[in-house]
Amino acid sequence: MNIINLENLDGIPQKYLSELTKFDSLFKTSMFIEDFENINEIKYLISKINTFCLNNSIIGYHYTRAFPSDILENGLICRTGREIRENFLKKYKHLFNAVELKKIMILWENYFCEKQTESRDKRIFFNFTKFGLKTSDAEPLLINFGGEQIFMPLISDESLSKKIKTLGKPLILKCKLSPKNIETFIDQPWGKIAISSYNKIKNKEAQQTDQDGYQTVNVSPLNIQIEEYKLRECLSINKWT
């Protein structure tokens, strides 16, 4: 089974990449996937690549601030927000005084309403390229400890925000996933992301198409490579065996 990296197209069969070369002149002048996705030959390749990906493994990037030892021991676990926050207090309650703890509970209670709970609980979120590092979309996840289920309502408070930024390390978790477990928000996402990545190889100014996706299945530590994110460098901590 192939492991497909939609960031650099590793694992995509050469026969599809060779077909794409026929459109290189178009890709070199195109900025958006909408410029070419409805061309019949490209639409066909999007479908074929998407089907190929569905029958193999893909790389998902999970941005977080955490302790590498926790990831190496537990991987990524589907939990409710309440479980995540209870575990946070169990481990780190000692870092906050009584006033701060009361404030944390109020902020969490007010923020995590039914709608927030429904859209986040027991879901692990991924991107499928590293485009989020260039747009700063990943930055809040990398500088604030514990994921959005912890930090989202706390970053408005300067003292609390300062403390959660001192915990853990900024990590990019490169996860080997089954695309059949992943929910996304566009049709044929794997084919479209792959074609967009090819477009960006040919035109560095092109806009990268990526997707938020989530799954409700745990990710084993055996299927995670950890990269410590430092400024613009990634230091690899472990590799798949």
Side-chain angles (χ1 to χ4, degrees):
M1 181 172 287
N2 286 30
I3 301 175
I4 299 159
N5 188 335
L6 296 171
E7 167 84 6
N8 57 20
L9 303 182
D10 282 354
I12 298 289
Q14 186 59 46
K15 62 181 179 180
Y16 298 137
L17 300 179
S18 296
E19 286 295 310
L20 286 171
T21 62
K22 298 175 183 178
F23 303 94
D24 279 357
S25 60
L26 174 61
F27 291 130
K28 288 175 182 177
T29 59
S30 296
M31 290 293 295
F32 305 99
I33 192 172
E34 291 81 7
D35 295 336
F36 49 77
E37 66 177 336
N38 289 320
I39 296 172
N40 285 336
E41 295 92 334
I42 295 179
K43 187 187 298 185
Y44 173 78
L45 285 169
I46 288 173
S47 177
K48 295 296 288 185
I49 292 171
N50 195 75
T51 298
F52 180 81
C53 290
L54 283 170
N55 291 303
N56 287 277
S57 298
I58 61 169
I59 298 299
Y61 295 100
H62 182 83
Y63 303 110
T64 189
R65 188 178 184 95
F67 291 102
S69 57
D70 288 344
I71 304 299
L72 290 170
E73 181 178 354
N74 301 309
L76 292 173
I77 303 173
C78 294
R79 296 175 293 170
T80 66
R82 186 172 297 277
E83 289 171 332
I84 292 169
R85 292 186 286 277
E86 286 176 352
N87 185 64
F88 174 82
L89 288 180
K90 181 179 178 181
K91 287 186 174 181
Y92 306 111
K93 182 178 180 178
H94 65 281
L95 298 176
F96 304 95
N97 61 41
V99 173
E100 289 174 327
L101 287 170
K102 184 177 181 179
K103 188 181 295 185
I104 287 172
M105 299 304 293
I106 292 172
L107 289 170
W108 281 347
E109 185 67 27
N110 290 340
Y111 185 85
F112 292 109
C113 59
E114 183 177 345
K115 184 177 180 180
Q116 285 283 352
T117 298
E118 183 180 346
S119 64
R120 297 175 188 275
D121 275 8
K122 291 187 175 293
R123 297 180 179 185
I124 306 171
F125 285 86
F126 303 92
N127 291 133
F128 304 96
T129 74
K130 291 183 177 179
F131 186 60
L133 295 174
K134 299 171 185 174
T135 62
S136 298
D137 289 346
E139 185 174 319
L141 297 165
L142 293 166
I143 66 175
N144 296 290
F145 181 78
E148 292 182 344
Q149 295 270 29
I150 297 293
F151 75 74
M152 281 297 284
L154 306 186
I155 56 177
S156 60
D157 183 280
E158 185 176 352
S159 65
L160 297 178
S161 178
K162 185 175 180 180
K163 286 189 176 182
I164 61 176
K165 285 179 170 64
T166 64
L167 295 168
K169 296 180 178 182
L171 306 176
I172 302 172
L173 306 184
K174 184 178 176 184
C175 303
K176 182 169 66 175
L177 308 171
S178 169
K180 293 179 179 178
N181 291 332
I182 300 169
E183 294 288 338
T184 61
F185 304 95
I186 60 174
D187 294 331
Q188 302 188 109
W190 320 122
K192 289 179 180 177
I193 295 170
I195 297 291
S196 178
S197 291
Y198 186 86
N199 180 203
K200 195 159 182 64
I201 289 170
K202 298 302 175 180
N203 178 3
K204 295 188 183 303
E205 302 302 315
Q207 181 73 27
Q208 174 74 58
T209 294
D210 198 354
Q211 264 289 286
D212 287 329
Y214 69 86
Q215 67 180 40
T216 57
V217 179
N218 296 343
V219 184
S220 165
L222 298 177
N223 290 327
I224 300 175
Q225 290 181 1
I226 303 174
E227 297 174 347
E228 281 189 23
Y229 186 70
K230 295 184 178 181
L231 298 176
R232 296 183 181 273
E233 299 176 357
C234 289
L235 175 65
S236 181
I237 294 233
N238 70 323
K239 296 183 178 180
W240 293 313
T241 55

